[in-house]
């Protein structure tokens, strides 16, 4: 407006304009790209779909470092993008970074800005409230990667039912159950998936050309995708290196060197990832982690953890739970845990770097002493009349025994067989020779009743050498005799004979009449097995004379049991009945229920052959009840076999087949040689 002069009231009205509508940004799509080498995981995707189908608003995917959690969840959520038209958000919570986890205020600000609601506050509570209000009606997916605690997650939960939050963590985050979370534990890749993953990195032709070496390399990576990818990256940059050469390098580096061999410049290494998980452990939990890494075991329980650390069972249970929660150990049973193979290497590496040699030695010796103490307690319960040599301990255990009856004691020996063998080897390797052979001696009920022949023989080979190194003649003879029994039972008759002959010479040099009788008994059994029955009878009768002369009726009864078996096989049932009757009476008198039941079973079979079918079957059933009650699976099978043969001779084909089937099933678990014998040649028993 232009004017020379203006008089009066003037009103200026701007031209009307259209209202301005704030523009919302495009729906964010922040998920990480999925590597081209993503492989397999169909079952995991199906499990996640199952959790999604239940309408859960929160899903936690957990697993150890390098297992592939981030890649799996990124791949899965990308496949669901159509279900979340309002966006897919991603945040790395840096749960194991050197600078510490990211705070929820930072993540909330990032998310609100991405959705077009720039925050006006830095207060976590206020931001969380705004976040819930803003997302109440949105259909969005949120991926919270590398979480450390449940507390990190709670302020980031959505306000409505149309969205989904998926958390990845090296910890299990069981505290989020209160928020209605569903859980999926991610496990290692199978062998075929590992080969496929490697082939995507180095090419199918290269894999096909060295398939055996590829499979070995994948096995050395223990199914950890990160390890396979690092191996693939190394091979990809070395096209002339054979896969076998890298596999050989990993195999040679059984300890921390294997992790070092899986380092690639610019890549996250397995060692670094595990270091991050280890760094956030509490002091005592880290000590348990290192201690378990030292032990010569593949699996362990709270008792082993407590014994090795010299702590209480309650202390060990709490610390072990923390390691399970952190996904550094796997919970593989109601009372059993184990390390992933590469995690075990890391734990051992940390122990070697962070603890002294004296600390290592104490932990291993505590473990060996606890194994010896507990196995000896089982031996005293299961074979109380068996002669044993005195035990000595450097760290006498004070933990309660893990069994209260015979069946539980035998079950403990069987379930801890590999740990006990590990203790035997470890004690021998460390020069604790007495502890080594004592452990072997304490495992006698396990070998006697369950017939694990490979373990039986290996343990006694180590125990025999340990006894010789310790300069203990009595222990050497003990190892020779009980080891020879295992060799004989495994049909390695010539080796058993050599061991018994060595025992006989040693016993006579030491003037040990009792051990002399044991060697004579064993030689008689060997000659019987070789078909030299006359020689067998001669040795057995000499054993009876020796043992009766020194006042050892149990030994004489053992010899008479074997004489009865020879007579029964020779078609002299009346003579066999006499031998078994005397043997049974002697075993009852010395309170040896196991060997009394053995004599009773044979007595029943001999009575059947002598014409007393009903009486004989009753005796065999009585013996079977004893073996069943004590868990002696091999002798259950042997008695069932004799019952089947007796039924067949009596014309009861149905009962005979049933007994035979039951015996075969037990033999397959305890004595493959007897399973083959029974499975291929029906009716060949005595």
């Amino acid at each position: 407006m232009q004017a020379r002069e203006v008089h009066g009231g003037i009103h200026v009205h701007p031209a009307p304009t259209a209202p301005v509508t704030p523009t919302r940004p495009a729906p964010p799509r922040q998920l990480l790209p999925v590597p081209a080498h993503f492989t397999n995981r169909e079952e995991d995707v199906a499990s996640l779909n199952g959790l999604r189908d239940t309408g859960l608003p929160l899903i936690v995917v957990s697993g150890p470092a390098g297992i592939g959690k981030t890649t799996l969840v990124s791949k899965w959520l990308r496949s669901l993008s159509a279900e979340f038209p309002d966006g897919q958000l991603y945040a790395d919570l840096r749960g194991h970074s050197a600078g510490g986890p990211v705070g929820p205020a930072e993540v909330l600000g990032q998310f609100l800005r991405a959705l077009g609601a720039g925050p006006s506050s830095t207060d976590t509570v206020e931001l969380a409230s705004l976040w819930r209000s803003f997302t109440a009606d949105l259909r969005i997916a949120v991926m919270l990667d590398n979480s450390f605690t449940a507390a990190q997650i709670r302020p980031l939960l959505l306000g409505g039912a149309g969205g989904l939050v998926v958390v990845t963590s090296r910890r299990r985050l069981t505290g989020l159950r209160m928020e209605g979370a569903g859980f999926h534990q991610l496990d290692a890749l199978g062998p075929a998936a590992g080969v496929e993953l490697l082939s995507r990195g180095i090419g199918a032709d290269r894999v096909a050309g060295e398939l055996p070496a590829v499979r070995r390399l994948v096995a050395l990576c223990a199914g950890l995708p990160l390890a396979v990818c690092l191996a693939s990256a190394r091979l990809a940059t070395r096209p002339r290196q054979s896969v076998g050469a890298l596999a050989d390098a990993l195999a040679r580096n059984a300890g921390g060197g294997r992790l070092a061999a899986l380092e690639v410049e610019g890549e996250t290494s397995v060692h670094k990832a595990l270091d991050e998980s280890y760094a956030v452990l509490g002091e005592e939990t880290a000590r348990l982690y290192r201690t378990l890494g030292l032990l010569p075991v593949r699996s362990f329980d709270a008792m082993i953890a407590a014994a090795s650390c010299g702590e209480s069972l309650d202390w060990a249970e709490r610390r072990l739970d923390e390691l399970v929660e952190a996904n550094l150990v796997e919970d593989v049973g109601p009372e059993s845990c184990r390390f992933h193979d590469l995690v075990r290497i890391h734990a051992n590496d940390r122990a070697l770097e962070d603890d002294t040699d004296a600390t290592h030695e104490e932990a291993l010796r505590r473990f060996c002493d606890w194994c010896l103490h507990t196995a000896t307690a089982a031996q005293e319960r299961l074979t109380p009349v068996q002669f044993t040599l005195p035990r000595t301990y450097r760290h006498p255990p004070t933990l309660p025994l893990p069994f209260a009856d015979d069946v539980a004691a035998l079950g403990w020996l069987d379930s801890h067989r590999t740990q006990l063998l590990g203790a035997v080897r470890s004690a021998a390797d460390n020069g604790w020779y007495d502890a080594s052979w004592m452990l072997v001696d304490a495992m006698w009920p396990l070998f006697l009743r369950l017939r694990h022949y490979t373990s039986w023989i290996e343990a006694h080979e180590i125990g025999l050498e340990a006894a010789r190194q310790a300069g203990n003649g009595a222990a050497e003879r003990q190892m020779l005799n009980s080891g020879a029994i295992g060799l004989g039972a495994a049909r390695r008759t010539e080796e058993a004979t050599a061991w018994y002959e060595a025992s006989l010479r040693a016993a006579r040099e030491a003037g040990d009449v009792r051990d002399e009788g044991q060697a004579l008994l064993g030689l008689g059994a060997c000659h019987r097995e070789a078909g030299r029955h006359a020689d067998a009878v001669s040795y057995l009768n000499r054993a009876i004379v020796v043992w009766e002369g020194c006042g050892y009726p149990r030994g004489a009864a053992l010899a008479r049991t074997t004489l009865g078996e020879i007579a029964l096989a020779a078609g002299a049932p009346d003579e066999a009945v006499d031998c078994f009757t005397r043997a049974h009476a002697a075993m009852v008198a010395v309170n040896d229920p196991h060997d009394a039941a053995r004599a009773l079973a044979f007595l029943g079979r001999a009575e059947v052959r002598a014409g007393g079918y009903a009486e004989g079957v009753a005796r065999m059933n009585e013996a079977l009840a004893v073996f069943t009650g004590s868990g002696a699976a091999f002798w259950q099978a042997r008695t069932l076999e004799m019952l089947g043969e007796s039924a067949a001779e009596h014309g009861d084909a149905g009962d005979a087949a049933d007994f035979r089937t039951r015996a075969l099933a037990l033999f397959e678990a305890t004595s493959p040689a007897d399973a083959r014998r029974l499975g291929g040649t029906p009716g060949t028993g005595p």
Side-chain angles (χ1 to χ4, degrees):
M1 179 181 70
Q2 291 182 338
R4 184 170 179 264
E5 294 181 6
V6 177
H7 302 279
I10 302 296
H11 299 277
V12 179
H13 299 279
T17 59
V20 177
T21 302
T23 59
R24 174 176 288 185
R29 300 293 174 184
Q30 299 180 346
L31 295 177
L32 298 177
V34 179
H37 57 245
F38 180 82
T39 303
N40 200 272
R41 297 301 193 190
E42 287 88 354
E43 292 184 5
D44 296 292
V45 169
S47 178
L48 292 174
N49 283 331
L51 291 171
R52 172 66 178 151
D53 291 343
T54 64
L56 291 172
L58 174 62
I59 295 173
V60 177
V61 177
S62 61
I67 204 70
K69 303 179 292 295
T70 299
T71 302
L72 170 67
V73 173
S74 298
K75 172 76 172 178
W76 179 59
L77 285 179
R78 281 179 171 273
S79 72
L80 302 178
S81 58
E83 296 185 27
F84 303 107
D86 296 319
Q88 293 174 307
L89 299 169
Y90 171 87
D92 182 354
L93 301 187
R94 302 197 296 271
H96 295 83
S97 68
V102 63
E106 181 180 337
V107 178
L108 288 168
Q110 169 191 324
F111 284 171
L112 287 166
R113 285 190 295 272
L115 293 171
S120 58
S121 170
T122 58
D123 179 73
T124 300
V125 175
E126 189 173 338
L127 285 171
S129 178
L130 176 61
W131 167 249
R132 289 192 297 272
S133 298
F134 199 82
T135 60
D137 298 320
L138 295 183
R139 295 170 62 194
I140 62 173
V142 179
M143 179 176 173
L144 302 175
D145 202 11
N146 292 318
S147 174
F148 184 57
T149 64
Q152 262 189 307
I153 302 303
R154 292 188 178 100
L156 307 177
L157 298 180
L158 300 172
L164 173 66
V165 176
V166 184
V167 179
T168 73
S169 179
R170 298 178 192 178
R171 305 173 70 87
R172 298 200 175 191
L173 303 185
T174 51
L176 289 176
R177 291 189 187 278
M178 300 296 293
E179 278 64 45
F183 295 85
H184 179 70
Q185 177 75 13
L186 194 58
D187 296 322
L189 291 174
V195 171
E196 181 183 347
L197 179 58
L198 191 70
S199 70
R200 295 193 179 190
I202 65 173
D205 291 343
R206 194 172 176 187
V207 165
E210 291 190 75
L211 190 55
V214 166
R215 288 173 175 156
R216 189 159 61 97
L217 177 62
V218 168
L220 288 165
C221 291
L224 201 66
L226 175 58
V228 176
C229 289
L230 290 170
S232 172
R234 281 196 58 146
L235 290 167
T237 60
R238 297 168 173 82
R240 295 183 180 179
Q241 182 184 19
S242 70
V243 177
L246 179 55
D248 289 341
L250 294 183
R252 285 195 301 271
N253 295 307
R258 187 187 302 180
L259 299 183
L262 291 171
E263 299 230 3
V264 176
E265 185 178 356
E267 297 283 350
T268 299
S269 72
V270 178
H271 201 292
K272 180 181 176 182
L274 292 173
D275 273 346
E276 291 170 350
S277 295
Y278 171 76
V280 298
L281 296 176
E283 181 179 347
E284 292 296 276
T285 305
R287 176 164 75 96
L288 176 59
Y289 178 75
R290 297 192 303 272
T291 300
L292 292 173
L294 288 169
L295 301 184
V297 300
R298 307 304 300 177
S299 61
F300 39 82
D301 54 23
M303 279 281 191
I304 289 175
S308 303
C309 290
E311 299 286 353
S312 69
L313 188 59
D314 181 64
W315 179 94
E317 287 173 343
R318 292 200 308 272
R319 302 301 181 275
L320 205 52
D321 283 345
E322 290 176 29
L323 289 175
V324 170
E325 180 71 19
N327 272 311
L328 286 170
V329 303
E330 301 172 283
D331 189 350
V332 294
E335 296 180 357
S336 183
C337 298
R338 70 182 178 195
F339 279 127
H340 181 283
D341 285 351
L342 296 183
V343 177
R344 182 173 183 270
I345 291 172
H346 180 265
N348 182 265
D349 192 33
R350 289 264 54 89
L352 296 179
E353 289 190 19
D354 297 349
D355 294 325
T356 64
D357 290 345
T359 300
H360 303 160
E361 180 175 323
E362 179 180 339
L364 283 170
R365 187 58 192 258
R366 285 186 179 277
F367 166 70
C368 291
D369 279 352
W370 174 77
C371 287
L372 175 59
H373 174 265
T374 311
T376 296
Q379 180 186 33
E380 290 171 347
R381 173 178 285 278
L382 293 165
T383 55
V385 299
Q386 182 72 29
F387 173 74
T388 57
L389 294 166
R391 306 287 191 242
T392 57
Y393 304 94
R394 185 178 298 177
H395 302 285
T398 58
L399 292 169
L401 292 174
F403 43 78
D405 57 40
D406 288 8
V407 173
L410 186 60
W412 182 88
L413 286 171
D414 193 29
S415 64
H416 287 72
R417 174 166 51 100
T418 56
Q419 290 93 332
L420 292 170
L421 280 170
V424 169
R425 298 186 196 103
S426 183
D429 290 343
N430 283 278
W432 308 327
Y433 298 119
D434 284 323
S436 183
W437 70 255
M438 287 176 188
L439 272 161
V440 177
D441 191 41
M443 295 170 70
W444 174 248
L446 171 70
F447 302 138
L448 176 67
R449 298 196 180 183
L450 298 184
R451 302 295 177 113
H452 297 298
Y453 296 130
T454 301
S455 299
W456 187 343
I457 294 166
E458 179 193 353
H460 280 82
E461 287 172 342
I462 298 170
L464 176 59
E465 181 59 26
R468 286 171 173 165
Q469 290 291 335
N472 190 321
E476 180 180 348
R477 296 192 298 276
Q478 187 87 338
M479 292 296 98
L480 283 168
N481 286 326
S482 52
I485 294 172
L487 288 165
R491 307 292 197 272
R492 292 166 60 171
T493 307
E494 296 306 315
E495 293 171 81
T497 300
W499 281 46
Y500 280 128
E501 288 173 345
S503 174
L504 182 60
R505 289 192 300 270
R508 286 174 173 168
E509 288 172 4
D512 190 325
V513 179
R514 181 164 167 157
D515 271 0
E516 180 181 350
Q518 182 66 56
L520 290 168
L521 170 66
L523 287 167
C526 286
H527 282 287
R528 176 204 165 208
E529 182 67 27
R532 298 185 290 268
H533 291 170
D535 290 336
V537 170
S538 174
Y539 276 110
L540 293 168
N541 282 325
R542 287 161 61 190
I544 291 173
V545 170
V546 167
W547 271 330
E548 288 184 338
C550 71
Y552 185 45
R554 179 177 176 273
L558 290 171
R560 286 195 172 95
T561 300
T562 306
L563 283 171
E565 292 183 75
I566 293 172
L568 187 58
D574 292 331
E575 181 183 342
V577 166
D578 178 66
C579 290
F580 293 135
T581 299
R582 297 178 67 182
H584 178 256
M587 292 299 184
V588 170
V590 299
N591 193 26
D592 183 349
H594 177 78
D595 285 310
R598 282 203 316 122
L600 186 64
F602 285 126
L603 174 58
R605 177 67 178 134
E607 287 181 334
V608 168
R609 294 289 296 275
Y613 180 76
E615 297 84 351
V617 168
R619 292 190 192 277
M620 284 186 279
N621 278 319
E622 184 181 345
L624 180 62
V626 173
F627 295 137
T628 302
S630 68
F634 174 84
W635 284 101
Q636 290 177 54
R638 191 71 184 85
T639 307
L640 286 165
E641 180 184 2
M642 290 191 285
L643 281 166
E645 289 165 345
S646 300
E649 292 166 0
H650 198 62
D652 296 331
D655 286 347
D658 178 62
F659 285 130
R660 178 187 176 80
T661 299
R662 290 165 61 190
L664 185 58
L666 287 165
F667 275 141
E668 286 173 348
T670 59
S671 178
D674 283 299
R676 290 191 295 272
R677 173 183 58 77
L678 186 61
T681 52
T684 58

